[in-house]
Amino acid sequence: METFYLIDFENVHNNGIANIDNLSNEEHVHIFSTQNALNIRPVGFWLKSDINAHLVPVRNQSLDMHLVSYLGYIIGIYGKECKYVVVSKDKDYDNIIEFWKKEGYLSSTIEICSVSK
């Protein structure tokens, strides 16, 4: 099953990508970051062809809205056949997570500070 991790990097920093090297090619990582949190650890995972990692730069402190909008976009494309995980400590995501869970698209709660299997 394909899994999409949407990481609020400004909120969880490098802890949110701590286990990224262990992911498979069926797992997709989208790292949302503003200029306030561009301190992503030096990475070898960007070079590994079996990790689908993407940096999504966000301007003007609207990271939450970008992440939630992107979540809706990928749910619209991939539907219920995939797993979606928001990685953040921010409780502002709770309402949208609950909405998508009621719609049957999200089975887990927000995962905090770790991308792990």
Side-chain angles (χ1 to χ4, degrees):
M1 172 186 289
E2 288 191 70
T3 301
F4 291 86
Y5 295 96
L6 286 73
I7 300 173
D8 181 343
F9 191 80
E10 190 170 75
N11 187 274
V12 296
H13 307 286
N14 284 310
N15 289 333
I17 58 172
N19 297 318
I20 198 168
D21 296 324
N22 298 322
L23 300 181
S24 73
N25 61 353
E26 290 187 349
E27 297 172 290
H28 307 269
V29 177
H30 298 271
I31 303 168
F32 292 78
S33 181
T34 65
Q35 292 179 348
N36 293 337
L38 292 178
N39 197 10
I40 296 174
R41 70 178 167 95
V43 290
F45 71 82
W46 293 111
L47 303 174
K48 287 181 65 176
S49 61
D50 59 339
I51 296 176
N52 299 305
H54 309 278
L55 179 61
V56 182
V58 177
R59 297 182 195 180
N60 301 329
Q61 303 302 320
S62 58
L63 189 145
D64 296 1
M65 291 190 316
H66 278 76
L67 190 148
V68 172
S69 177
Y70 195 79
L71 173 62
Y73 169 74
I74 60 173
I75 286 174
I77 292 173
Y78 296 99
K80 295 182 180 183
E81 293 79 36
C82 297
K83 181 178 176 184
Y84 308 93
V85 180
V86 175
V87 180
S88 180
K89 293 186 283 185
D90 191 340
K91 296 297 182 187
D92 290 342
Y93 294 108
D94 288 355
N95 289 331
I96 196 68
I97 296 292
E98 193 59 36
F99 169 79
W100 285 116
K101 284 169 71 174
K102 285 181 184 175
E103 294 296 316
Y105 288 94
L106 296 177
S107 58
S108 62
T109 59
I110 296 174
E111 294 196 13
I112 299 175
C113 289
S114 180
V115 177
S116 60
K117 291 189 170 206

